[in-house]
C-alpha cells in the first residue's frame, strides 16, 4: 500500500493553470470574439504570454485595467468603458467577458453591469450593431483552467443558444484539445456526412496561416449564427469522462431544447475512439467510413509491432483530468503500465474515470492523484521508478532529474516546437502517440548504451 | 531655423514621404475623443534637442480599459522581474494559483550557482494557492503555515512573500506575518505589498521590490570583498546571459562586481552591496531610486552606464575607469577594448552592407527601447519609431524633468523611503576636491538624458503603444524589423515583418558587452535578410498574368 501524499500547505510547481485562462481560450474558439478580462491588467498580460508561447500565434485579451480606486469602489465604469473601446476598434462579433480573482473578491455583479451597458447602448443593441456579450464567473480560488474553459463553453450555450429551426447538425463539445485534433474531428464529421457545430473551435484561430492581409481578429472559430441554433441540432456529443459528470453545456442544451446528449470519453487510443465512432454511427445511421476503418486497422497493426518496445514500461501521466483519463486508456492498451495518473484538477470524478478505462485490462487501478502539484507528484513517483513521463512541458525538470524521456502532450508546451500541431485524438492520434512513445524509448536506449545499436 | 531641424526621417523607399504628424493623426482617429486626447500626449514627433526646448511626452499613466497593452502588473514587476533572477531566496506568492504559475521561470534570466550543491530555487514556484475559504476567512494562517513549511523543507537563507490582487482586498497583513515568522524562524522573512492593481504597470512593482530589498537586506553584511575597483551593477537582469558577458568584460578589466541587481544574484550579494565604491546603473527606470538611496545612506555615488552596443560598452568602461582615477585601470581598460574590438569590427563590416539603411522600431521595457538603438546604429540601421512599455518621463526626456513630474494617486501608492546617512556605514567615496576635479574634467554623475535626445528628428516616440497602434504603424511604415516581446511577436510576423524579442531574446543572446554585440549583429542580419518573407505569397499570387493563365486553362 502506498502512503498518501503529505498534505502540503503550499502548492509547489503547480500542475494547473488559472480559471480565466481557460475561459479566454474557449472564447478564442468562437468566430470574431475578443476575450475580455474584468480585473486588473496583469492577469490578461500573463495569460496572453502563456497562450502565445504555446501556440506561437497572436492572442489578444482585453482588460478593464482596474486600479486601486476601482478595486475599492467597484469596476463598473471601467468595464463599460473597456467594452466600448473594444467595440470601437475591433469590429468584434462577440466579447467574452470573464471575471478574475480581483473582481470576484470585490463582488462586481457582471451580469448586472452588462445588462446596464446594453440598455445604455439602446438602439445599437436592437440593430445588432454591437457585438454579443457573454459573461462567465471565473474566480481562480475555486477550480482550474479546465473548469474555466468548461464554464465559458456553458456560458456561451446558456447565453446564446436558441432553437430557431431544426437541423441535421451535431453539436460537438470537444473540450480543450489541440488545433490539430480539431481539424481531424472536423474531417471525421465530414466523412460521416455530418454537419458539426464544434464549440469551441480553435483550429484556425490559434493555428492560422501566415496572412497576406492581416486581420485583427483571426478568421475561424465557431460561427455565432450556428451557436444561436444549437438548440435545433439533432444531437450533442461531449468529450470527457469527468466532464460528463458535471453540469455541462451539452446538458444545458439537452434540458432546454431537448437535444439528446451523448457523453463519451476523450477519444484517445483504440477503445475510447471506438466508442466515439460508435456514437457517430448511431447518430448518422451509417457505418464508419472505410478510410477510418483502415486507419483503425493500421493502428492495431502498429500496436502489435510496437509492443516489444513499450510492454511493461512504467509511466507517469499528468495533466488535465480528461486528457489523463484518455491517455491512460491508451497507455494500458499498448501495454504500458501507468504507475501514477495525476492531475492538478479536483473534479472528484478522476479516480472513477481512470477505473472505468483501465478495468478491462488491468487487475488493479493505477495510483491516482487529484489536486497534486509537481512537488507531490515527484515525491510520489520517486519510489515508483518510472521509465517514461507523458504530459506537458512543466514535467521537464522531473524528466531531467530522473533521466527518463518526456513525451509531450497537452498544454502548455513551451520547450518544443509545434505544440499546437500535436494530434492526440482518434485512431490517427493514437498512431502518432504510439510512434512518439516508441521512438522516445528507443532513443533513450540508444543514448544509454555503449554498443551503438544501429538496428533496434 | 537651421536646416538640421527640418531634416526628414530617412525611410526606406516605399514609405518615403509619410509625414509622422499625419501618421499620428491616423493613429488617433479611431479612438473615442477622450481616449484620443490622452493618447495624443503619449505620441510625440521627435525634434532634435537643439531645435526644441522641452518636448514633453505623457508617460506612466494608466492604460485605458479595453485598449490592449503590453504592460503587466505590479506583482509581475516585483516578483518576476526584480526578484525572479535571485536564486537563493524562497519566493512565495500569496494568492490564487495563476499569478504564481505565470511568473514561474518564464523569463530567461539565467543563474549560475557556483556548485551543484548551492541553493537554486529559481525552478520552483511556491504559491499559497488560495481557495474560497481563504478569501472569505483570510489567508494569513495559510501563509504562515506555508512559510513554516518552506523553511522545514528547504532551510533557505531568506523567504519573501508577494501579494497578489485579492490579498490587499481581503486585508491580509503580509508584513505582520513576515515579522512574526522572522522571529519564529530566525531567518530573514519579508513581504511585498505588490498587488497587481497598485500601479500603472510593472514599474510600480520594481519600485516596491527594490525598496524592500533596500530596507530588509542591503547593509546586513559588512564583510569587504577583495578588489581594488568595486562596483555594483544596478538594473541588469541577465537576460540571455547578458550579465555573464558583462562580468567577463569587467573581470578582464580588473573591476570587481560586488552585487548585481538582480541578474544572477544572491541574497548575500544584496546584503553586502553597500561595500562597493561605485554604483553603475544600466536600466535607469527600474532602479535609479536605489542608486539615489545608496548614495544618501552609504555615500556611494552613481553613474549611468550602458553595456548594450560595443561602442557603448567601451564608453562605459572608460567612464568607470575615469571615476577611479587610476592610470593602471585606464590602461587595462584600453587594452581590453583594443583586444576585443577587431573581432567586432570584422563582423560589423560583414553585415553592414546587407543591413545598411534598413529601419527598426523598438517598443519594449523601460530602457531597452533606448539602449538597443545603439546596436542598430552600429549596423547602419535607423530607428524610426520607439517607445517604452512602462518608463516614466525622465526616461524619455532626461533627469532634468524630474522636478516637474506630477505625482498622481498611483505614484503615491508606492512608499517613498525616508533615507538618512547610516551612522556607521556612511562613507563618502570621493572628497570634495576629487569631485571638483572630476567635474572639471567633464565627468558627470547621475547623467541620464533620456531616449528622445538620442533619436532622430521626426522619429515617432510612442509611450505604452497599444496593439491597435502597432498594427497601424506596421501597415504604414513597414519597418525592416520590430522589437518587442512575445505578445507582439506573432501579430507582427503574420504581417511579414520579423520581430525580435527584447524581453527574452527569443531565447538567444547574450547581446550585452562585446561578445553580445557580435551575436546581435548576426541575429539581426539573419532576421532582416531572411528569404522566408518572400514566400508569403504563393507564386500564382505574385504574378497576376500567371494566375489568369491558369484560370483560362
Ligand atoms: S488573480 Fe486570479 S485570474 Fe488573475 S492571474 Fe491570478 S489566479 Fe489568474
Ligand atoms: S491578479 Fe493581480 S497580481 Fe495577479 S496577475 Fe492579475 S493583476 Fe497581477
Amino acid at each position: 500500500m502506498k502512503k498518501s501524499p503529505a498534505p502540503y500547505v503550499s502548492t509547489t510547481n503547480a500542475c494547473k493553470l488559472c480559471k480565466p485562462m481557460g475561459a479566454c481560450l474557449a472564447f478564442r474558439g468562437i468566430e470574431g470574439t475578443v476575450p475580455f478580462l474584468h480585473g486588473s491588467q496583469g492577469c490578461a498580460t500573463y495569460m496572453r504570454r502563456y497562450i502565445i508561447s504555446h501556440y506561437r500565434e497572436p492572442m489578444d485579451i482585453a482588460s478593464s485595467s482596474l486600479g486601486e480606486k476601482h478595486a475599492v469602489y467597484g469596476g463598473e465604469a471601467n468595464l463599460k468603458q473597456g467594452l466600448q473601446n473594444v467595440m470601437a476598434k475591433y469590429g468584434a462579433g462577440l466579447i467574452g467577458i470573464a471575471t478574475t480573482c480581483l473582481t470576484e473578491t470585490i463582488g462586481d455583479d457582471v451580469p448586472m453591469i452588462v445588462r446596464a451597458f446594453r440598455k445604455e447602448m439602446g438602439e445599437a443593441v436592437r440593430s445588432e450593431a454591437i457585438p454579443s456579450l457573454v459573461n462567465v464567473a471565473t474566480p481562480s480560488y475555486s477550480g482550474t483552467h479546465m473548469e474555466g474553459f468548461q464554464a465559458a463553453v456553458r456560458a456561451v450555450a446558456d447565453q446564446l443558444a436558441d432553437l430557431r429551426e431544426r437541423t441535421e447538425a451535431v453539436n460537438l463539445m470537444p473540450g480543450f484539445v489541440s488545433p490539430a485534433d480539431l481539424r481531424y474531428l472536423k474531417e471525421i464529421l465530414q466523412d460521416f456526412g455530418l454537419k458539426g457545430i464544434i464549440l469551441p473551435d480553435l483550429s484556425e484561430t490559434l493555428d492560422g496561416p501566415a496572412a497576406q492581409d492581416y486581420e485583427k481578429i483571426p478568421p475561424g472559430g465557431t460561427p455565432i449564427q450556428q451557436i444561436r441554433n444549437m438548440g435545433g441540432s439533432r444531437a450533442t456529443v461531449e468529450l470527457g469522462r469527468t466532464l460528463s459528470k458535471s453540469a455541462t453545456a451539452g446538458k444545458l442544451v439537452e434540458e432546454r431544447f431537448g437535444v439528446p446528449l451523448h457523453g463519451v470519453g476523450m477519444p484517445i487510443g483504440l477503445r475510447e475512439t471506438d466508442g466515439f465512432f460508435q456514437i457517430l454511427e448511431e447518430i448518422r445511421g451509417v457505418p464508419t467510413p472505410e478510410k477510418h476503418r483502415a486507419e483503425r486497422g493500421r493502428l492495431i497493426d502498429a500496436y502489435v509491432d510496437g509492443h516489444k518496445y513499450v510492454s511493461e514500461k512504467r509511466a507517469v501521466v499528468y495533466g488535465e483530468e480528461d486528457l489523463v483519463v484518455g491517455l491512460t486508456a491508451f497507455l494500458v492498451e499498448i501495454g504500458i503500465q501507468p504507475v501514477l495518473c495525476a492531475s492538478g484538477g479536483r473534479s472528484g470524478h478522476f479516480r472513477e474515470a481512470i477505473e472505468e478505462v483501465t478495468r478491462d485490462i488491468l487487475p488493479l487501478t493505477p495510483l491516482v492523484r487529484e489536486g497534486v502539484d509537481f512537488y507531490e507528484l515527484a515525491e510520489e513517483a520517486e519510489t515508483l521508478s518510472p521509465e517514461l513521463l507523458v504530459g506537458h512541458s512543466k514535467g521537464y525538470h522531473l524528466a531531467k532529474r530522473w533521466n527518463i524521456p518526456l513525451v509531450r502532450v497537452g498544454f502548455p508546451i513551451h520547450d518544443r516546437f509545434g505544440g499546437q500541431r500535436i494530434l492526440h485524438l482518434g485512431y490517427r492520434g493514437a498512431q502518432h502517440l504510439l510512434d512518439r512513445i516508441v521512438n522516445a524509448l528507443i532513443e533513450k536506449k540508444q543514448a544509454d548504451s555503449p554498443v551503438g545499436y544501429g538496428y533496434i | 531655423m537651421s536646416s538640421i531641424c527640418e531634416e526628414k526621417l530617412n525611410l526606406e523607399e516605399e514609405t518615403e514621404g509619410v509625414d509622422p504628424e499625419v501618421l499620428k493623426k491616423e493613429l488617433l482617429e479611431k479612438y473615442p475623443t477622450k481616449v484620443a486626447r490622452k493618447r495624443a500626449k503619449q505620441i510625440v514627433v521627435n525634434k532634435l534637442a537643439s531645435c526644441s526646448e522641452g518636448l514633453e511626452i505623457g508617460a506612466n499613466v494608466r492604460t485605458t480599459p479595453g485598449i490592449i497593452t503590453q504592460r503587466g502588473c505590479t506583482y509581475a514587476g516585483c516578483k518576476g522581474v526584480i526578484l525572479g533572477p535571485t536564486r537563493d531566496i524562497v519566493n512565495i506568492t500569496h494568492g490564487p494559483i495563476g499569478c504564481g504559475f505565470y511568473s514561474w521561470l518564464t523569463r530567461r534570466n539565467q543563474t549560475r550557482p557556483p556548485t551543484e550543491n548551492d541553493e537554486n530555487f529559481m525552478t520552483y514556484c511556491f504559491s499559497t494557492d488560495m481557495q474560497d475559504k481563504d478569501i472569505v476567512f483570510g489567508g494569513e494562517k495559510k501563509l504562515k503555515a506555508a512559510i513554516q513549511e518552506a523553511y522545514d523543507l528547504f532551510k533557505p537563507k531568506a523567504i519573501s512573500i508577494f501579494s497578489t490582487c485579492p490579498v490587499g482586498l481581503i486585508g491580509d497583513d503580509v508584513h505582520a506575518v513576515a515579522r512574526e515568522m522572522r522571529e519564529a524562524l530566525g531567518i530573514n522573512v519579508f513581504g511585498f505589498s505588490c498587488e497587481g492593481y497598485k500601479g500603472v504597470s510593472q514599474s510600480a512593482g520594481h519600485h516596491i521590490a527594490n525598496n524592500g530589498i533596500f530596507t530588509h537586506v542591503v547593509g546586513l553584511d559588512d564583510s569587504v570583498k577583495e578588489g581594488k575597483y568595486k562596483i555594483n551593477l544596478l538594473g541588469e537582469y541577465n537576460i540571455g546571459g547578458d550579465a555573464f558577458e558583462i562580468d567577463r568584460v569587467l573581470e578582464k578589466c580588473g573591476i570587481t562586481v560586488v552585487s548585481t541587481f538582480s541578474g544572477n544574484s544572491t541574497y548575500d550579494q544584496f546584503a553586502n552591496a553597500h561595500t562597493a565604491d561605485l554604483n553603475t546603473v544600466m536600466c535607469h527606470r527600474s532602479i535609479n531610486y536605489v542608486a539615489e538611496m545608496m548614495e544618501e545612506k552609504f555615500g556611494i555615488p552613481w553613474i549611468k552606464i550602458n553595456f548594450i552596443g560595443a561602442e557603448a560598452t567601451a564608453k562605459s568602461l572608460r567612464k568607470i575607469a575615469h571615476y577611479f582615477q587610476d592610470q593602471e585601470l585606464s590602461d587595462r581598460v584600453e587594452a581590453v577594448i583594443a583586444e576585443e574590438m577587431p573581432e567586432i569590427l570584422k563582423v560589423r563590416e560583414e553585415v553592414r552592407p546587407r543591413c545598411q539603411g534598413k529601419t527598426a522600431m523598438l517598443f519594449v521595457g523601460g530602457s531597452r527601447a533606448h539602449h538597443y538603438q545603439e546596436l542598430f546604429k552600429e549596423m547602419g540601421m535607423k530607428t524610426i519609431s520607439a517607445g517604452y512599455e512602462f518608463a516614466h518621463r525622465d526616461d524619455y526626456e532626461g533627469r532634468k524633468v524630474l522636478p516637474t513630474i506630477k505625482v498622481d494617486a498611483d505614484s503615491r501608492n508606492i512608499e517613498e523611503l525616508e533615507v538618512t546617512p547610516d551612522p556607521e556605514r556612511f562613507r563618502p567615496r570621493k572628497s570634495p576636491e576629487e569631485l571638483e576635479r572630476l567635474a572639471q574634467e567633464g565627468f558627470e554623475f547621475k547623467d541620464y538624458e533620456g531616449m528622445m535626445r538620442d533619436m532622430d528628428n521626426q522619429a515617432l516616440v510612442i509611450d505604452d503603444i497599444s496593439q491597435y497602434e502597432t498594427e497601424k504603424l506596421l501597415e504604414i511604415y513597414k519597418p525592416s524589423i520590430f522589437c518587442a516581446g512575445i505578445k507582439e511577436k506573432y501579430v507582427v510576423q503574420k504581417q511579414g515583418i520579423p520581430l525580435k524579442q527584447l524581453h527574452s531574446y527569443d531565447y538567444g543572446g547574450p547581446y550585452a558587452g562585446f561578445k553580445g554585440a557580435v551575436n546581435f549583429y548576426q541575429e539581426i542580419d539573419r532576421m532582416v535578410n531572411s528569404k522566408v518573407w518572400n514566400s508569403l505569397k504563393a507564386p500564382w499570387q505574385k504574378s497576376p498574368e500567371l494566375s489568369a493563365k491558369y484560370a483560362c486553362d
Side-chain angles (χ1 to χ4, degrees):
Chain A
M1 215 19 229
K2 288 262 132 12
K3 66 175 171 43
S4 65
Y8 289 110
V9 183
S10 283
T11 295
T12 303
N13 301 350
C15 187
K16 60 178 177 182
L17 286 87
C18 78
K19 217 167 168 180
M21 197 220 59
C24 290
L25 273 167
F27 285 137
R28 185 60 157 186
I30 298 164
E31 189 179 66
T33 297
V34 175
F36 189 114
L37 285 182
H38 184 36
S40 87
Q41 80 204 10
C43 314
T45 297
Y46 265 151
M47 291 174 211
R48 288 177 67 205
R49 204 178 63 193
Y50 240 86
I51 294 170
I52 291 169
S53 55
H54 174 89
Y55 292 98
R56 300 176 201 254
E57 288 286 316
M59 173 77 189
D60 289 351
I61 302 176
S63 158
S64 50
S65 298
L66 301 194
E68 178 148 56
K69 189 173 86 201
H70 321 106
V72 177
Y73 297 108
E76 175 165 353
N78 277 46
L79 177 53
K80 288 178 177 170
Q81 195 196 354
L83 291 173
Q84 227 158 6
N85 281 328
V86 170
M87 278 160 42
K89 277 181 318 305
Y90 274 87
L94 186 140
I95 303 178
I97 309 158
T99 56
T100 61
C101 302
L102 169 63
T103 44
E104 285 293 330
T105 306
I106 61 178
D108 263 5
D109 184 346
V110 174
M112 193 275 293
I113 298 172
V114 169
R115 269 198 305 278
F117 179 77
R118 280 213 185 93
K119 210 184 246 152
E120 283 160 32
M121 299 310 278
E123 260 313 295
V125 179
R126 274 185 291 281
S127 66
E128 293 205 358
I130 79 160
S132 310
L133 304 171
V134 170
N135 66 84
V136 59
T138 43
S140 282
Y141 43 78
S142 59
T144 69
H145 63 294
M146 266 327 289
E147 275 84 27
F149 187 96
Q150 299 300 357
V153 175
R154 190 177 153 92
V156 169
D158 179 32
Q159 294 162 47
L160 293 184
D162 203 346
L163 198 176
R164 295 185 169 176
E165 51 169 341
R166 294 261 170 223
T167 70
E168 291 297 295
V170 173
N171 305 325
L172 174 58
M173 275 56 136
F176 184 24
V177 294
S178 77
D181 289 328
L182 288 161
R183 285 193 287 268
Y184 175 48
L185 285 174
K186 282 192 204 169
E187 182 186 326
I188 295 173
L189 290 181
Q190 201 176 18
D191 292 344
F192 265 97
L194 282 167
K195 186 174 166 296
I197 303 176
I198 300 186
L199 179 70
D201 176 6
L202 301 162
S203 61
E204 305 301 314
T205 52
L206 281 176
D207 193 17
Q212 288 133 21
D213 301 307
Y214 178 76
E215 292 181 54
K216 284 193 179 46
I217 303 177
T222 326
I224 295 173
Q225 286 312 323
Q226 289 187 9
I227 301 174
R228 290 198 189 281
N229 198 39
M230 283 178 92
S233 297
R234 71 204 279 182
T236 300
V237 179
E238 219 159 28
L239 308 183
R241 282 182 183 262
T242 66
L243 178 71
S244 68
K245 298 177 172 83
S246 60
T248 65
K251 281 189 193 134
L252 185 141
V253 175
E254 179 171 51
E255 279 153 24
R256 205 174 286 173
F257 307 105
V259 180
L261 170 67
H262 307 268
V264 295
M266 244 188 206
I268 302 180
L270 187 73
R271 294 165 304 148
E272 293 289 83
T273 306
D274 283 347
F276 175 62
F277 274 86
Q278 255 162 27
I279 295 288
L280 295 184
E281 287 189 351
E282 233 170 76
I283 293 172
R284 181 69 174 92
V286 297
T288 295
E290 178 49 34
K291 175 171 125 195
H292 298 281
R293 287 205 251 179
E295 278 188 287
R296 184 180 189 278
R298 278 196 292 275
L299 177 65
I300 294 178
D301 195 55
Y303 271 22
V304 175
D305 296 346
H307 194 253
K308 66 171 181 174
Y309 302 105
V310 295
S311 166
E312 297 298 306
K313 291 276 186 244
R314 305 161 66 79
V316 171
V317 204
Y318 59 87
E320 291 118 15
E321 290 167 275
D322 278 324
L323 179 68
V324 172
V325 171
L327 289 166
T328 304
F330 161 71
L331 291 174
V332 297
E333 278 168 13
I334 61 173
I336 284 185
Q337 206 188 330
V339 288
L340 174 60
C341 308
S343 177
R346 205 190 281 273
S347 69
H349 309 296
F350 188 39
R351 175 184 309 276
E352 186 188 336
I354 294 279
E355 240 164 50
E356 287 166 8
V357 298
T358 55
R359 71 172 151 236
D360 292 351
I361 296 179
L362 297 182
L364 282 176
T365 308
L367 193 59
V368 178
R369 289 283 175 252
E370 59 167 19
V372 294
D373 57 34
F374 279 101
Y375 194 82
E376 292 160 323
L377 189 152
E379 238 184 14
E380 189 89 33
E382 206 104 70
T383 56
L384 301 168
S385 30
E387 295 159 282
L388 176 71
L389 282 170
V390 183
H392 51 74
S393 285
K394 292 295 181 198
Y396 167 67
H397 286 285
L398 295 181
K400 189 172 169 197
R401 191 195 307 166
W402 297 331
N403 186 26
I404 59 174
L406 164 61
V407 173
R408 287 167 178 78
V409 292
F411 175 95
I413 295 176
H414 41 56
D415 64 342
R416 279 296 180 279
F417 189 66
Q420 73 276 47
R421 289 183 290 273
I422 292 178
L423 192 61
H424 311 80
L425 301 187
Y427 303 126
R428 201 180 295 165
Q431 182 71 72
H432 284 228
L433 289 175
L434 178 66
D435 292 349
R436 290 176 59 216
I437 289 174
V438 169
N439 287 333
L441 291 167
I442 290 178
E443 242 178 76
K444 160 89 177 134
K445 199 165 183 175
Q446 280 182 323
D448 288 352
S449 153
V451 179
Y453 298 115
Y455 287 85
I456 239 169
Chain B
M1 187 169 269
S2 63
S3 65
I4 183 175
C5 298
E6 278 139 37
E7 198 175 278
K8 289 268 178 292
L9 253 192
N10 215 342
L11 294 167
E12 280 182 277
E13 253 168 55
E14 42 184 326
T15 37
E16 195 85 73
V18 178
D19 181 343
E21 290 289 357
V22 176
L23 178 53
K24 176 174 172 180
K25 261 201 207 97
E26 263 189 60
L27 291 181
L28 296 173
E29 225 166 47
K30 270 250 180 153
Y31 287 120
T33 333
K34 243 178 80 189
V35 183
R37 220 178 300 134
K38 183 171 159 203
R39 287 303 294 157
K41 292 193 195 125
Q42 291 173 273
I43 303 177
V44 171
V45 178
N46 198 40
K47 289 201 182 69
L48 292 182
S50 53
C51 310
S52 81
E53 265 306 301
L55 201 56
E56 190 179 321
I57 188 164
N60 194 32
V61 287
R62 280 205 164 268
T63 303
T64 308
I67 306 286
I68 295 176
T69 170
Q70 304 180 327
R71 287 172 168 174
C73 67
T74 306
Y75 162 84
C78 185
K79 155 99 184 357
V81 178
I82 303 293
L83 280 141
T86 309
R87 64 173 168 263
D88 56 356
I89 301 178
V90 165
N91 293 332
I92 302 179
T93 297
H94 187 36
I97 196 63
C99 324
F101 189 95
Y102 301 126
S103 56
W104 177 9
L105 198 85
T106 45
R107 289 168 65 101
R108 199 199 169 208
N109 17 44
Q110 307 177 354
T111 199
R112 254 185 215 160
T115 72
E116 275 214 356
N117 301 325
D118 280 280
E119 287 159 328
N120 179 11
F121 301 119
M122 272 170 66
T123 53
Y124 285 89
C125 160
F126 304 95
S127 166
T128 52
D129 192 359
M130 284 178 140
Q131 298 298 310
D132 269 322
K133 64 173 194 310
D134 307 314
I135 298 287
V136 178
F137 300 111
E140 291 185 15
K141 240 176 78 192
K142 190 168 191 184
L143 177 60
K144 266 182 233 170
I147 295 170
Q148 181 70 50
E149 180 177 282
Y151 178 76
D152 294 340
L153 289 174
F154 298 102
K155 298 276 177 325
K157 288 196 178 98
I159 297 177
S160 59
I161 310 153
F162 300 85
S163 313
T164 68
C165 288
V167 172
L169 299 172
I170 61 175
D172 276 5
D173 186 344
V174 299
H175 305 287
V177 170
R179 268 195 305 277
E180 194 186 319
M181 294 311 286
R182 186 158 58 218
E183 260 147 53
L185 302 176
I187 61 164
N188 204 351
V189 182
F190 42 94
F192 297 96
S193 289
C194 54
E195 286 85 351
Y197 58 73
K198 281 241 160 117
V200 165
S201 67
Q202 50 271 61
S203 170
H206 305 152
H207 209 137
I208 291 169
N210 282 318
N211 278 353
I213 293 294
F214 186 78
T215 309
H216 297 293
V217 189
V218 174
L220 290 182
D221 172 13
D222 288 326
S223 55
V224 176
K225 256 199 191 152
E226 290 235 358
K228 218 163 151 191
Y229 320 107
K230 286 195 293 270
I231 68 167
N232 292 321
L233 191 55
L234 305 186
E236 159 48 54
Y237 301 103
N238 199 21
I239 308 300
D242 275 353
F244 298 147
E245 164 64 5
I246 298 172
D247 283 349
R248 179 190 74 85
V249 173
L250 289 172
E251 205 183 302
K252 213 167 155 185
C253 297
I255 298 164
T256 308
V257 178
V258 177
S259 75
T260 302
F261 281 60
S262 52
N264 190 30
S265 62
T266 60
Y267 177 82
D268 291 343
Q269 285 184 12
F270 294 149
N272 193 232
H274 62 294
T275 62
D277 292 323
L278 173 68
N279 275 326
T280 61
V281 172
M282 266 289 271
C283 171
H284 176 261
R285 174 65 272 128
S286 58
I287 207 146
N288 70 81
Y289 35 84
V290 171
E292 290 281 282
M293 292 189 295
M294 289 231 238
E295 176 155 25
E296 219 25 75
K297 189 164 177 180
F298 305 111
I300 311 172
W302 72 269
I303 57 171
K304 174 79 178 68
I305 44 98
N306 172 24
F307 286 116
I308 303 295
E311 309 299 330
T313 300
K315 197 169 143 200
S316 297
L317 292 174
R318 288 185 176 122
K319 182 149 192 182
I320 295 170
H322 189 174
Y323 168 83
F324 283 104
Q325 301 269 305
D326 184 322
Q327 197 54 43
E328 191 190 319
L329 178 61
S330 290
D331 292 346
R332 193 143 165 201
V333 161
E334 289 309 325
V336 169
I337 296 171
E339 192 190 319
E340 301 270 342
M341 270 304 180
E343 168 66 12
I344 293 162
L345 294 178
K346 197 183 108 219
V347 179
R348 193 188 290 169
E349 288 322 309
E350 224 172 85
V351 303
R352 221 181 146 110
R354 290 190 294 268
C355 299
Q356 183 83 34
K358 295 213 185 285
T359 54
M361 291 187 180
L362 304 92
F363 292 95
V364 60
S367 63
R368 286 169 195 269
H370 180 194
H371 289 164
Y372 275 83
Q373 294 186 25
E374 288 270 347
L375 275 167
F376 283 116
K377 208 183 287 163
E378 290 175 1
M379 304 176 69
M381 290 176 63
K382 229 176 165 52
T383 301
I384 51 175
S385 185
Y388 297 122
E389 181 181 338
F390 52 75
H392 302 192
R393 271 185 62 205
D394 40 326
D395 306 298
Y396 285 104
E397 302 168 50
R399 288 180 65 84
K400 62 179 190 296
V401 301
L402 275 174
T404 64
I405 295 181
K406 277 198 284 301
V407 181
D408 59 10
D410 281 308
S411 327
R412 260 192 294 274
N413 246 332
I414 301 154
E415 189 191 8
E416 278 297 333
L417 299 181
E418 280 283 334
V419 181
T420 50
D422 186 296
E424 282 130 51
R425 296 179 184 82
F426 181 82
R427 178 170 61 83
R429 301 313 201 257
K430 296 273 175 199
S431 66
E433 298 76 48
E434 285 170 317
L435 288 176
E436 176 64 18
R437 186 167 146 212
L438 279 167
Q440 268 171 17
E441 290 168 4
F443 189 93
E444 277 185 73
F445 290 99
K446 312 183 183 197
D447 49 332
Y448 188 49
E449 298 194 75
M451 171 207 277
M452 284 158 82
R453 235 192 113 92
D454 284 342
M455 287 183 69
D456 285 332
N457 210 33
Q458 301 257 307
L460 206 52
V461 186
I462 306 179
D463 180 59
D464 183 24
I465 194 170
S466 69
Q467 189 81 306
Y468 165 74
E469 289 157 4
T470 304
E471 286 159 16
K472 264 270 174 262
L473 208 57
L474 292 173
E475 190 186 307
I476 298 170
Y477 264 169
K478 302 189 180 57
S480 321
I481 193 160
F482 195 92
C483 300
I486 185 142
K487 297 190 299 300
E488 296 74 37
K489 183 167 178 93
Y490 301 99
V491 180
V492 173
Q493 295 197 159
K494 281 255 188 251
Q495 296 175 69
I497 292 164
L499 184 141
K500 181 67 200 167
Q501 291 186 54
L502 289 186
H503 291 288
S504 72
Y505 292 174
D506 290 298
Y507 313 103
Y511 298 136
F514 294 123
K515 293 238 159 79
V518 169
N519 288 342
F520 193 79
Y521 301 156
Q522 287 167 337
E523 171 75 348
I524 298 302
D525 175 39
R526 178 186 71 76
M527 291 179 85
V528 298
N529 292 308
S530 164
K531 300 270 181 297
V532 71
W533 307 111
N534 303 335
S535 312
L536 263 184
K537 279 195 171 44
W540 57 88
Q541 289 168 304
K542 263 187 233 161
S543 90
E545 322 83 69
L546 203 64
S547 59
K549 187 168 156 278
Y550 284 138
C552 299
D553 281 351

